[in-house]
């Protein structure tokens, strides 16, 4: 974990409402693991909280990090306005990411901006028998090319790419054809809830990447805590920034 | 190179910079980024006997030049802190300030007493957290309440007792005076200002607790005003805080009459904020021709 001025190598439109930024950040890239994130300082003095952004790809040899950022509010808009050659202060790598756990067949599930960390996980853990399922709003929102050797099935809300369906439909069909050893998912809460339900009912190990508003990003302020279930039936709060963002789906209480 | 050190209620601080409670945990995470023994002190996350789970999420959001939090005093308990975190913290050669709270006069006294046999250097009593319904806010509002709780807790405190004052009151100087009269060794101010944040598109509150505490640069002018007013009334040391982001911000609080300062929200904006602020304060002193930073205290030219 280190805080550095990362140089923007490129910034371009990746899909509708999504910017891809490639950063030169060798000190972070060398330790980064799939599912981890960085805390990006918003340029200008007005913003006291950093913005947590997942790593879509990391290349230790080239010293680069690839991000997919949705310019949503003021902070992410300012970050996305950075141009090639600018620097952005970044703290990372942060958090506990996905754990391949030696699984042979992994089904990856991503929705919207949540496809980004899933791409990182695919690069890290996908095998030829693995399969990724991505849900997008329309064909204009599609992104997520990876080097991973596995098949990718995309669906959309309007049927402009793939089936007009929720991503859990092809996921269920694939599970019925071949049960995976592990599921890894990131996306909107309703999607994660549906994946959690499927994994729970079929008793398939499953890891979910969560989002919560953050203060420090390093585990000190307890600002990002979410409720998690413990094995003995009780519950507690855990930190999304340090104990997560990736949690065992059995733990997660939406 | 100015001398930044000071003696605060008999405790030596290397410099006047203390990490503000709740923004720095017990120091472990920041120690991964830099050696925390560079700091004057650390006020640890607010503790109570038996611990507390805190509020449901969302607990935090940014606002204009600041932020709101409603963490709700989540902590593992004084017992757990003393066993698992304090021994490590005491190896760090930094003043350890135990920030604590209770839910009744008795539990406040018991909390203070629990630190008596430990190596904690100072106590900081939070009578002002706005984010919990039973966390002492009742004591922090009126001067009579401040007097009563300070008097009782002081009798159970072995270490110097700092009383942390709430800005959400009619006249903070009355509360400062009440704390002094009841035997407080120092006061710290300000805690957060109660506010709300709204998601206008969803027509919904952002924080699950509805209200939260405002901190960061947005509160600095209010905090400075309060420190300045209190410094004119009390003779015990004042620790100033609220929105300090730079060495010059820290100097402003000292000019108003604070011997020491605390840094909270800035740790989120810049995780290396505190060592940087120490360097900047040093440079400011040099530029001002000040050999010892304490020479700044209360020297504000006013109209
Ligand atoms: C671990 C993690 C990884 C993420 N990865 C990505 C990513 O790869 N790409 C991407 O586009 N977005 C990602 N997000 C979401 C992104 O952090 C938010 O969209 C962003 O913080 C919103 O900031 P803003 O200034 O645009 O919005 P504002 O609404 O102006 O922000 C106000 C405050 O709320 C916080 N906030 C608002 N929405 C969210 C949210 N969904 N999650 C966390 N904090 C929020 C902001 O950080 C800020 O403190 C991730 C979030 C987390 C927790
Ligand atoms: C996330 C967060 C948690 C806090 N928790 C505590 C606490 O447990 N006890 C306390 O006395 N103050 C707590 N505070 C208040 C700070 O110590 C400080 O008084 C306030 O943030 C103003 O300083 P700043 O503007 O430098 O942040 C908390 C503040 C924040 C932002
Ligand atoms: S953001 Fe501070 S503990 Fe997670």
């Amino acid at each position: 974990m280190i805080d550095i001025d990362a140089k923007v190598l490129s910034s371009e439109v990746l899909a509708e409402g999504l910017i891809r930024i490639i950063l030169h950040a060798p000190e972070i890239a060398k330790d980064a693991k799939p599912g981890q994130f960085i805390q990006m300082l918003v340029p200008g003095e007005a913003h006291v909280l950093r913005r947590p952004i997942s790593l879509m790809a990391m290349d230790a040899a080239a010293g680069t990090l690839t991000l997919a950022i949705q310019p949503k509010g003021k902070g992410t808009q300012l970050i996305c306005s950075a141009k090639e050659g600018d620097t952005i202060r970044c703290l990372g790598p942060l958090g506990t990411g996905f754990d391949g756990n030696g699984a042979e067949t992994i089904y990856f599930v991503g929705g919207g901006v949540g496809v980004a960390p899933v791409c990182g996980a695919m690069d890290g853990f996908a095998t030829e028998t693995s399969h990724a399922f991505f849900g997008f709003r329309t064909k204009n929102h599609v992104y997520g090319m990876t080097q991973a050797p596995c098949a990718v099935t995309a669906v959309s809300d309007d049927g402009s790419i793939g089936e007009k369906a929720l991503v859990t439909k092809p996921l269920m069909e694939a599970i019925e054809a071949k049960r995976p050893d592990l599921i890894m998912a990131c996306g909107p809460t309703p999607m994660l809830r549906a994946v959690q339900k499927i994994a729970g009912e079929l008793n398939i190990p499953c890891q979910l990447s969560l989002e919560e508003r953050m203060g420090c990003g390093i585990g000190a302020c307890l600002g990002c805590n979410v409720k998690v279930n413990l094995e003995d039936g009780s519950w507690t709060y855990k930190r999304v920034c340090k104990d997560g963002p990736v949690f065992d789906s059995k733990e997660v209480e939406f | 190179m100015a001398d930044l050190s000071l003696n605060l209620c008999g405790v030596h601080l290397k410099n006047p910079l203390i990490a503000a409670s709740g923004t720095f945990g017990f120091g472990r995470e920041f120690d991964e980024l830099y050696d925390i023994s560079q700091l004057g002190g650390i006020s640890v996350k607010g503790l109570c006997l038996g611990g507390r789970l805190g509020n449901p999420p969302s607990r935090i959001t940014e606002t204009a030049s600041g932020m709101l939090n409603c963490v709700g005093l989540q902590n593992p308990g004084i017992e757990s802190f003393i066993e698992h975190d304090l021994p490590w913290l005491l190896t760090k050669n930094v003043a350890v300030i135990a920030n604590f709270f209770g839910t009744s006069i008795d539990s406040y006294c018991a909390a203070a007493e629990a630190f008596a046999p430990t190596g904690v250097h100072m106590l900081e009593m939070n009578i002002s957290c706005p984010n919990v319904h039973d966390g002492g806010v009742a004591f922090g509002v009126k001067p009579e309440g401040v007097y009563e709780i300070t008097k009782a807790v002081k009798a159970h405190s072995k270490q110097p007792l700092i009383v942390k004052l709430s800005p959400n009151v009619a006249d903070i100087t009355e509360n400062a005076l009440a704390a002094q009269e009841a035997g407080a060794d120092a006061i710290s101010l300000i805690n957060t200002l109660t506010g709300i944040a709204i998601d206008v598109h969803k027509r919904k509150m952002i924080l699950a607790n509805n209200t939260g505490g405002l901190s960061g640069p947005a509160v600095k002018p209010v905090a400075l005003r309060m420190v300045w007013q209190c410094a004119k009334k009390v003779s015990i040391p004042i620790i100033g805080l609220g929105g300090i982001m730079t060495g010059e911000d820290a100097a402003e609080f000292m000019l108003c009459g604070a011997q020491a300062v605390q840094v909270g929200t800035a740790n989120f904006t810049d995780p290396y904020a505190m060592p940087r602020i120490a360097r900047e304060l040093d440079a400011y002193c040099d530029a001002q021709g000040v050999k010892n930073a304490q020479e700044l205290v209360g020297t504000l030219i006013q109209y």
Side-chain angles (χ1 to χ4, degrees):
Chain A
M1 172 170 74
I2 187 167
D3 195 37
I4 55 159
D5 285 319
K7 192 163 169 189
V8 177
L9 297 178
S10 73
S11 171
E12 58 196 30
V13 176
L14 180 60
E16 191 172 322
L18 205 61
I19 307 292
R20 184 181 69 182
I21 294 180
I22 301 179
L23 296 174
H24 183 65
E27 300 91 335
I28 297 176
K30 78 176 167 50
D31 295 324
K33 297 192 181 64
Q36 288 191 300
F37 66 99
I38 55 175
Q39 280 269 78
M40 303 182 78
L41 182 67
V42 179
E45 299 222 325
H47 296 273
V48 301
L49 295 184
R50 294 194 178 201
R51 301 301 190 260
I53 299 293
S54 297
L55 303 177
M56 180 159 78
M58 53 230 108
D59 185 334
T64 59
L65 301 174
T66 305
L67 317 170
I69 308 180
Q70 187 183 10
K72 223 177 73 176
K74 284 211 186 78
T76 46
Q77 280 169 21
L78 277 163
I79 290 170
C80 286
S81 67
K83 305 216 160 36
E84 190 184 321
D86 290 352
T87 57
I88 306 179
R89 194 86 182 154
C90 296
L91 174 67
L94 302 173
T96 307
F98 291 105
D99 182 355
N101 237 333
E104 181 54 37
T105 301
I106 304 177
Y107 288 176
F108 300 92
V109 189
V113 73
V115 167
V118 171
C119 289
M122 288 165 68
D123 282 338
F125 307 115
T127 57
E128 274 161 21
T129 56
S130 296
H131 198 140
F133 305 90
F134 293 161
F136 299 104
R137 273 166 60 197
T138 73
K139 68 176 192 321
N140 299 334
H141 294 85
V142 173
Y143 72 104
M145 299 309 117
T146 77
Q147 311 296 318
C150 72
V152 178
T153 300
V155 298
S156 57
D157 294 349
D158 68 351
S160 57
I161 181 157
E163 237 183 303
K164 178 178 170 177
L166 296 175
V167 72
T168 40
K169 181 162 180 265
L171 172 69
M172 263 319 281
E173 289 164 4
I175 292 174
E176 276 156 19
K178 182 179 192 305
R179 187 188 158 90
D181 304 314
L182 182 62
I183 298 174
M184 293 179 177
C186 184
T189 303
M191 186 202 100
L192 293 184
R193 204 183 274 130
V195 172
Q196 182 190 42
K197 189 159 172 271
I198 291 170
E201 282 168 1
L202 301 175
N203 207 12
I204 301 169
C206 176
Q207 297 169 11
L208 305 177
S209 181
L210 306 186
E211 275 188 12
E212 191 46 70
R213 289 165 191 268
M214 292 187 180
C216 66
I218 61 174
C221 75
L222 312 184
C224 62
N225 285 28
V226 292
K227 205 169 167 177
V228 297
N229 297 312
L230 300 174
E231 270 178 27
D232 65 6
S234 65
W235 65 273
T236 188
Y237 285 121
K238 281 197 183 174
R239 302 164 297 185
V240 170
C241 73
K242 184 102 176 177
D243 307 308
V246 178
F247 290 92
D248 185 324
S249 81
K250 287 204 203 77
E251 280 190 316
V252 177
E253 167 93 31
F254 285 110
Chain B
M1 279 288 266
D3 179 4
L4 298 184
S5 70
L6 70 150
N7 180 309
L8 185 67
C9 310
V11 178
H12 173 80
L13 304 191
K14 277 184 239 66
N15 60 55
L17 300 179
I18 300 166
S21 175
T23 64
F24 213 76
F26 302 132
R28 283 187 202 270
E29 292 79 16
F30 284 90
D31 194 60
E32 285 180 39
L33 289 163
Y34 62 86
D35 181 3
I36 57 170
S37 55
Q38 295 170 59
L39 306 179
I42 293 175
S43 176
V44 301
K45 174 66 199 170
L47 294 160
C48 65
L49 287 167
R52 185 181 179 102
L53 273 170
N55 288 326
S58 292
R59 294 175 167 188
I60 230 165
T61 191
E62 194 181 74
T63 56
S65 293
M67 59 167 285
L68 286 168
N69 91 83
C70 59
V71 169
L73 296 174
Q74 178 176 352
N75 77 88
I78 293 173
E79 304 87 338
S80 166
F81 167 74
I82 291 174
E83 190 182 337
H84 301 294
D85 302 288
L86 184 59
W88 175 82
L89 204 45
L90 289 174
T91 64
K92 286 291 156 181
N93 186 24
V94 58
V96 178
I97 303 177
N99 182 290
F100 71 97
F101 66 96
T103 50
S104 63
I105 293 202
D106 286 348
S107 65
Y108 266 96
C109 292
E113 218 164 69
F115 294 110
T118 72
V120 159
H121 301 96
M122 294 182 148
L123 305 179
E124 182 175 50
M125 177 166 73
N126 179 4
I127 50 169
S128 53
C129 184
N131 303 324
V132 294
H133 304 294
D134 54 352
V137 71
F139 300 110
V141 179
K142 296 216 173 90
E144 303 80 49
V146 175
Y147 182 87
E148 190 187 5
I149 186 106
T150 306
K151 186 99 190 156
V153 170
K154 179 63 191 166
H156 290 83
S157 302
K158 193 179 137 224
Q159 293 89 345
L161 178 67
I162 306 163
V163 176
K164 185 166 181 179
L165 300 177
S166 168
N168 306 307
V169 298
D171 180 355
I172 197 166
T173 65
E174 295 287 319
N175 290 0
L177 273 174
Q180 172 171 285
E181 276 165 33
D185 297 287
I187 51 173
S188 55
L189 64 150
I190 59 174
N191 207 319
T192 55
L193 282 150
T194 307
I196 62 174
I198 294 168
D199 183 332
V200 74
H201 304 291
K202 294 187 186 149
R203 301 189 184 186
K204 202 177 160 194
M205 288 288 197
I206 290 180
L207 298 180
N209 188 53
N210 292 320
T211 63
L214 182 66
S215 62
V219 310
K220 195 186 78 170
V222 178
L224 283 170
R225 186 265 292 175
M226 290 181 163
V227 167
W228 172 67
Q229 287 180 323
C230 287
K232 291 200 281 195
K233 293 268 179 80
V234 301
S235 54
I236 54 177
I238 296 178
I239 302 168
L241 72 154
I244 295 175
M245 305 295 280
T246 66
E248 294 190 1
D249 291 338
E252 289 180 13
F253 277 86
M254 297 180 76
L255 293 174
C256 285
Q259 266 97 326
V261 297
Q262 294 186 1
V263 176
T265 304
N267 293 306
F268 304 161
T269 321
D270 172 9
Y272 301 111
M274 295 191 68
R276 171 180 55 78
I277 292 171
R279 287 195 303 275
E280 290 169 352
L281 181 62
D282 189 17
Y284 170 83
C285 289
D286 285 351
Q288 291 288 321
V290 165
K291 296 228 157 32
N292 184 316
Q294 290 300 304
E295 290 168 34
L296 296 170
V297 177
T299 59
L300 182 66
I301 300 165
Q302 36 186 295
Y303 295 99

